Amino acid sequence: MSLYETSTLKVRARLTVDAVQTSLQFAPDGTLLFTGGYDGILRVWETQRGSLVATLVRSPNDEWIVFTPDGLYDASANGARLLVWRLKDQNVLASELADMRLPGLLSKLVSGERPKPTKPLITAISHALTHMDP
C-alpha cells in the first residue's frame, strides 16, 4: 500500500501489509493512519515514514492486545495470551513479559508519545525463558 503526497502525487511512504486492507482512517492531524483488513488486525502507521507504530488484535471473545514493533504491549485481562514469541523452540506469552506491559499504550501512541521499553524485547524473552520450569 502506498501513501502519496497530495500536492505532488509522489509516493511518501510504502506500507507493507500481507493482508488485503479494507478500511483506513487518518488521525485528525494526519500523523497516523489506521488500517484494517480481512485478517481482522488493526494497524497504526506513522504517515511521514510509513513505519508501523502498533498492531491491535481482538479475539472472538473480546480479548485484545495492542503491541509495538519493539515489544511494548497493553492488553485486556486475558489478551496477553494472544501474542506469543518463539525462541529456542520454546514459546513465551506476552503475559510472561510483565516488564514490557505499558497500561494505556494505545492512548499514549495516539497522543503522539513514542514510549520505548526499558530493555530490548530479546532480553525480556531470554530472561523469561531462563525462569521457565523445565
Side-chain angles (χ1 to χ4, degrees):
M1 179 169 30
S2 299
L3 289 177
Y4 290 87
E5 183 66 47
T6 56
S7 61
T8 63
L9 295 181
K10 291 186 179 181
V11 174
R12 176 189 285 185
R14 295 197 189 279
L15 312 179
T16 305
V17 184
D18 293 336
V20 173
Q21 300 298 285
T22 58
S23 303
L24 61 91
Q25 177 69 47
F26 285 94
D29 65 2
T31 60
L32 297 175
L33 172 65
F34 300 81
T35 64
Y38 289 132
D39 59 0
I41 296 173
L42 176 73
R43 292 172 180 85
V44 183
W45 306 89
E46 191 275 326
T47 58
Q48 286 292 27
R49 291 173 295 212
S51 57
L52 183 65
V53 174
T55 304
L56 178 64
V57 178
R58 187 181 70 92
S59 72
N61 60 350
D62 291 330
E63 296 294 339
W64 59 269
I65 187 167
V66 59
F67 57 94
T68 63
D70 56 7
L72 286 178
Y73 77 92
D74 190 14
S76 60
N78 292 310
R81 296 180 185 169
L82 298 172
L83 182 60
V84 179
W85 286 276
R86 186 159 182 80
L87 183 68
K88 300 178 184 176
D89 294 323
Q90 292 181 291
N91 293 333
V92 177
L93 295 169
S95 59
E96 297 172 84
L97 305 176
D99 291 349
M100 301 302 281
R101 187 167 194 164
L102 180 60
L105 176 60
L106 186 58
S107 294
K108 292 175 189 316
L109 295 170
V110 169
S111 71
E113 291 181 48
R114 296 296 178 264
K116 296 294 178 195
T118 57
K119 58 182 154 187
L121 178 59
I122 190 68
T123 303
I125 292 171
S126 295
H127 185 261
L129 287 174
T130 60
H131 290 89
M132 286 183 158
D133 292 328

